[in-house]
């Protein structure tokens, strides 16, 4: 039985121990880094996923054509199996009249929702669910904004955003207008966040820049050399923060909350970087400093990117921030940061010192050499081998489809990249030994992670621009153990978004934040997954809820999914 304190209750164990060979906890080599290659298998066709992103490329090289689509993993019907949602483009005229917005004028432009059936394959339920969408769709945020027990879908887009309320019967309603959440300009990534800890999910919507379909020629004026324009040509724009008023409506609060600093936002992630009990917001900006908005506990934020050390790299240089994740990679209890960017910039890895500042660790961890010639978009920390250390999976491709003409050493289409975490000190590139998918070249953009087949190993879905999507099933050969937590808030928001989970085993502690955000324009499974290595027993689990409630559980067995419901009153 589980020992508990603070009146915590574990409601159910959805999956019992899997049949894996147990390793002794007395193994003297268990604390030595062992680089286990991954094994990710492309099961897209086998699973019945037939999505293709329609970027609607033109001769004018309009910038949205190259920015790609997002992907989400969610369980919209609460059957215990993850479903998949893709955003899609829309028709762009060549040339596109100023003031006109792209339209989804045919099924090939629809966003797509795939429901996972009992046999593990997927069926397209887009029409039945009512989520085909309008306009040129980009990012996705998943969260139960009205606490009714069903995941809702927010779709970001160019010129117009959409809020789909989950009716609980397999269908959705477009409540964008009544909710007051349509937005404007060019939205990219988004994240559900309870920034004032009132038990209701608010929404942060990243916006890229002030951009229109004005015909601007960039690149050399010869055949085949026209290029997508650099973001420096366009004015920055602030992100939007919507406060959930609790009556089905939202109020836009970016100016009042102090996050209306103009930026060029492509990625957004949330985390309590200073452990003060209030969630902070991290924005990945393209070609300008990165933003970290510190929550001041009174409904307002202070931008501290520069003073925290997150704004630029170690030489003080800005980089083209695109995808972002906000998790603890070195198991010291503090959320760290990884941000993808363009080739020759090196992906940025920042370690949280626990004193309100971050150290740039790209080069000292080996990630600089690994990523120097790569361009990244979606990114997530993912313990693919369940050894208890968070590895990193990157979706890659250059933004310029002409890059090989101007810089022959680089590539437009690139394979994904898998970096193995060597016990928090360094990362090793294990891509070439982790499956054929890491030798294929894709114009990848979005990336979402989650345990699609509930086997205790984290899988991934990758989207591309003007191309297919890939479902990558994790079949890594390992006898390592794991545990996954599904949090249900009571006083806190029902999804438990923003809650911090810390576990302690003989091998040491691990830490994670409940979120569906991070990556690039994508949303991942909100269940919190920990690899446990050789350990079969978790000595203690601590859950810090946004409400201030703290729950502690002792002697928790490995290799299972556990649902934890928030205690009704804060701990003493």
């Amino acid at each position: 039985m589980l020992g508990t304190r603070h009146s915590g209750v574990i409601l159910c164990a959805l999956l019992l121990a899997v049949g894996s060979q147990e390793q002794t906890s007395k193994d003297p080599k268990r604390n030595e880094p062992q680089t286990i290659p991954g094994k990710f298998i492309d099961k897209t066709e086998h699973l019945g996923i037939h999505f293709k992103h329609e970027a609607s490329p033109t001769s004018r090289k309009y910038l949205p054509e190259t920015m790609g689509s997002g992907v989400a993993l969610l369980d919209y019907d609460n059957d215990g199996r993850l479903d998949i949602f893709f955003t899609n483009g829309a028709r762009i005229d060549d040339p596109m009249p100023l003031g006109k917005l792209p339209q989804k004028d045919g099924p090939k432009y629809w966003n797509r929702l795939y429901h996972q059936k009992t046999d593990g394959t997927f069926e397209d339920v887009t029409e039945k669910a009512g989520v085909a969408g309008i306009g040129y769709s980009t990012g996705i945020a998943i969260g139960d904004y009205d606490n009714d027990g069903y995941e809702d879908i927010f779709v970001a887009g160019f010129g117009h955003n959409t809020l789909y309320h989950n009716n609980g019967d397999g269908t959705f309603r477009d409540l964008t207008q009544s909710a007051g959440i349509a937005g404007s300009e060019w939205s990219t990534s988004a994240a559900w966040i309870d920034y004032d800890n009132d038990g209701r999910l608010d929404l942060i919507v990243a916006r890229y820049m002030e951009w229109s379909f004005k015909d601007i020629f960039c690149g050399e004026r010869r055949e085949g050399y026209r290029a997508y324009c650099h973001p420096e040509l366009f004015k920055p724009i602030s992100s939007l923060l919507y406060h959930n008023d609790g009556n089905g409506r939202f109020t836009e609060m970016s100016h009042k909350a102090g996050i209306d600093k103009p930026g060029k936002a492509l990625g957004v992630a949330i985390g309590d970087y200073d452990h003060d009990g209030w969630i902070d917001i991290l924005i990945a900006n393209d070609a300008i400093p990165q933003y970290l908005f510190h929550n001041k506990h009174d409904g307002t934020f202070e931008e501290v990117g520069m003073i925290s050390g997150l704004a630029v790299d170690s030489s003080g240089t800005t980089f083209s921030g695109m995808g972002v994740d906000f998790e603890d990679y070195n198991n010291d209890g503090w959320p760290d940061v990884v941000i993808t960017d363009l080739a020759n910039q090196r992906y940025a890895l920042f370690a949280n010192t626990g004193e309100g500042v971050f150290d740039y660790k790209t080069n000292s961890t080996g990630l600089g050499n690994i990523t120097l010639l790569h361009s990244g978009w979606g990114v997530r920390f993912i313990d693919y081998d369940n050894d208890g250390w968070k590895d990193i999976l990157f979706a890659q491709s250059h933004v310029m489809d002409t890059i090989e003409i101007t810089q022959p050493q680089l590539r437009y289409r690139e394979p994904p990249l898998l970096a193995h975490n060597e016990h928090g000190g360094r990362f090793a590139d294990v891509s070439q030994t982790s499956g054929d998918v890491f030798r294929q070249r894709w114009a990848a953009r979005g990336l979402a992670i989650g345990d699609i087949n509930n086997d205790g190993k984290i899988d991934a879905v990758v989207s591309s621009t003007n191309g297919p999507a890939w479902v990558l099933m994790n079949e890594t050969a390992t006898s390592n153990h794991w545990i996954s937590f599904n949090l249900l808030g009571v006083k806190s928001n029902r999804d438990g978004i923003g809650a911090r989970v810390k576990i302690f085993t003989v091998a040491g502690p691990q830490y994670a934040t409940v979120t569906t955000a991070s990556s690039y324009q994508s949303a991942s499974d909100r269940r919190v997954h920990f690899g446990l290595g050789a350990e079969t027993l978790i000595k203690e689990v601590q859950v810090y809820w946004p409400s201030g409630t703290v729950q502690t559980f002792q002697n928790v067995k490995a290799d299972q999914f556990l649902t934890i419901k928030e205690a009704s009153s804060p701990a003493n």
Side-chain angles (χ1 to χ4, degrees):
M1 293 183 64
L2 297 172
T4 64
R5 296 203 306 268
H6 306 331
S7 69
V9 179
I10 290 188
L11 292 182
C12 58
L14 298 178
L15 187 66
L16 299 178
V18 297
S20 60
Q21 182 180 354
E22 203 172 287
Q23 296 179 9
T24 173
S25 62
K26 296 181 180 180
D27 181 357
K29 296 183 179 181
R30 77 166 196 223
N31 289 322
E32 297 178 6
Q34 297 181 13
T35 304
I36 301 174
K39 185 180 180 182
F40 285 83
I41 307 298
D42 179 4
K43 292 292 186 71
T44 315
E45 196 73 22
H46 172 76
L47 294 176
I49 303 296
H50 305 290
F51 176 77
K52 180 183 182 297
H53 177 254
E54 297 290 343
S56 195
T58 70
S59 65
R60 312 289 167 146
K61 294 280 187 176
Y62 294 123
L63 199 50
E65 301 166 14
T66 193
M67 303 307 287
S69 63
V71 57
L73 283 168
L74 72 161
D75 181 6
Y76 77 91
D77 57 350
N78 292 343
D79 64 357
R81 296 182 294 272
L82 290 178
D83 312 300
I84 305 175
F85 183 77
F86 296 99
T87 57
N88 205 348
R91 182 174 58 82
I92 300 176
D93 296 336
D94 189 4
M96 189 73 172
L98 283 175
K100 182 179 180 181
L101 292 177
Q103 300 297 318
K104 295 186 185 299
D105 60 359
K108 74 174 185 177
Y109 295 114
W110 289 356
N111 303 329
R112 293 287 173 175
L113 177 62
Y114 289 90
H115 173 255
Q116 186 176 169
K117 299 185 291 186
T118 56
D119 64 358
T121 63
F122 290 81
E123 58 182 336
D124 187 336
V125 295
T126 305
E127 285 190 272
K128 176 184 176 182
V131 292
I134 58 173
Y136 206 101
S137 303
T138 53
I140 313 167
I142 302 296
D144 180 6
Y145 76 87
D146 58 351
N147 293 328
D148 66 353
Y150 291 92
E151 298 297 299
D152 307 302
I153 302 174
F154 174 82
V155 177
F158 181 85
H160 182 83
N161 304 322
T162 307
L163 178 64
Y164 291 107
H165 176 264
N166 191 330
N167 297 322
D169 60 0
T171 67
F172 292 79
R173 281 183 296 163
D174 181 348
L175 296 184
T176 310
Q177 295 304 321
S178 62
I181 210 165
S184 61
E185 303 295 336
W186 184 349
S187 299
T188 53
S189 296
W192 292 103
I193 170 178
D194 184 3
Y195 74 89
D196 56 355
N197 289 345
D198 66 354
R200 298 186 295 267
L201 287 178
D202 313 301
L203 183 68
I204 174 76
V205 182
R207 294 195 295 179
Y208 193 19
M209 55 195 179
E210 293 185 13
W211 190 92
S212 70
F213 281 98
K214 184 178 180 180
D215 190 2
I216 303 175
F217 193 100
C218 294
E220 297 184 42
R221 289 188 176 274
R222 52 176 170 154
E223 185 68 27
Y225 279 74
R226 184 167 184 170
Y228 293 106
C229 292
H230 194 279
E232 67 185 4
L233 297 179
F234 307 99
K235 293 181 179 179
I237 192 171
S238 66
S239 295
L240 300 172
L241 180 65
Y242 292 98
H243 179 264
N244 188 339
D245 299 331
N247 56 0
R249 291 194 57 82
F250 292 78
T251 300
E252 206 286 299
M253 301 288 284
S254 58
H255 177 69
K256 184 175 182 180
I259 69 158
D260 59 342
K261 182 176 182 178
K264 296 182 178 181
L266 290 177
V268 60
I270 64 171
D272 182 3
Y273 79 94
D274 56 353
H275 288 186
D276 63 357
W278 298 79
I279 286 291
D280 311 299
I281 302 171
L282 178 63
I283 298 289
N285 281 316
D286 189 2
I288 65 171
Q290 315 301 297
Y291 293 164
L292 176 61
F293 290 98
H294 177 249
N295 194 323
K296 296 171 65 177
H297 313 175
D298 59 1
T300 68
F301 293 81
E302 178 185 10
E303 203 286 298
V304 296
M306 195 64 72
I307 63 175
S308 71
L310 275 176
V312 294
D313 66 18
S314 59
S315 65
T317 304
T318 58
F319 50 88
S320 298
M322 296 189 287
V324 61
D325 203 4
F326 207 166
E327 282 291 357
D328 178 17
Y329 80 86
N330 55 7
N331 291 349
D332 66 354
W334 299 92
D336 310 301
V337 170
V338 62
I339 303 175
T340 55
D341 50 32
L342 290 179
N344 297 319
Q345 295 179 341
R346 299 180 176 88
Y347 301 162
L349 181 69
F350 297 92
N352 189 338
T353 67
E355 299 176 345
V357 295
F358 293 78
D359 286 339
Y360 184 79
K361 293 289 188 178
T362 294
N363 297 320
S364 63
T365 59
L367 200 62
N369 288 335
I370 293 172
T371 64
L372 176 61
L373 297 180
H374 296 297
S375 301
W377 299 80
V379 57
R380 286 303 306 261
F381 287 109
I382 170 177
D383 187 357
Y384 73 87
D385 58 352
N386 285 336
D387 68 350
W389 297 88
K390 294 179 180 66
D391 316 298
I392 315 179
L393 179 62
F394 300 94
Q396 300 189 128
S397 170
H398 205 279
V399 67
M400 298 290 189
D401 59 358
T402 56
I403 193 64
E404 294 169 42
I405 300 175
T406 57
Q407 299 186 55
Q409 76 278 18
L410 303 181
R411 295 291 178 267
Y412 171 60
R413 299 179 185 274
E414 294 192 57
L417 189 153
L418 183 63
H420 183 263
N421 187 338
E422 308 285 302
H423 284 200
R426 293 184 65 82
F427 287 88
D429 185 351
V430 295
S431 306
Q432 291 302 305
T433 56
S434 296
D436 289 341
V437 297
F438 293 95
R439 290 183 286 275
Q440 299 175 15
R441 297 188 182 276
W442 306 340
R445 295 294 184 265
L447 166 67
I449 63 170
D451 190 347
I452 293 174
N453 56 357
N454 289 336
D455 68 348
K457 296 176 183 177
I458 298 297
D459 312 297
V461 183
V462 178
S463 65
S464 69
T465 182
N466 206 47
W470 299 270
V471 180
L472 307 181
M473 302 302 294
N474 184 351
E475 298 182 3
T476 300
T478 177
S479 57
N480 287 333
H481 301 279
W482 57 275
I483 194 162
S484 183
F485 299 103
N486 178 36
L487 269 59
L488 296 180
V490 176
K491 186 176 181 181
S492 303
N493 67 85
R494 193 179 187 281
D495 282 346
I497 287 177
R500 293 181 286 129
V501 181
K502 195 168 186 178
I503 68 170
F504 299 85
T505 69
V506 174
Q510 292 186 60
Y511 163 97
T513 302
V514 180
T515 180
T516 58
S518 294
S519 191
Y520 170 75
Q521 296 191 157
S522 298
S524 293
D525 182 4
R526 68 181 177 85
R527 294 178 295 183
V528 175
H529 176 96
F530 293 102
L532 302 176
E535 306 305 324
T536 60
L537 187 70
I538 301 170
K539 295 165 57 180
E540 188 166 279
V541 177
Q542 298 174 351
V543 182
Y544 297 82
W545 295 88
S547 67
T549 298
V550 180
Q551 289 175 271
T552 302
F553 308 93
Q554 295 175 329
N555 300 324
V556 180
K557 292 182 179 180
D559 301 326
Q560 59 177 323
F561 290 96
L562 291 176
T563 294
I564 300 178
K565 186 174 182 179
E566 182 180 15
S568 57
S569 61
N572 296 322

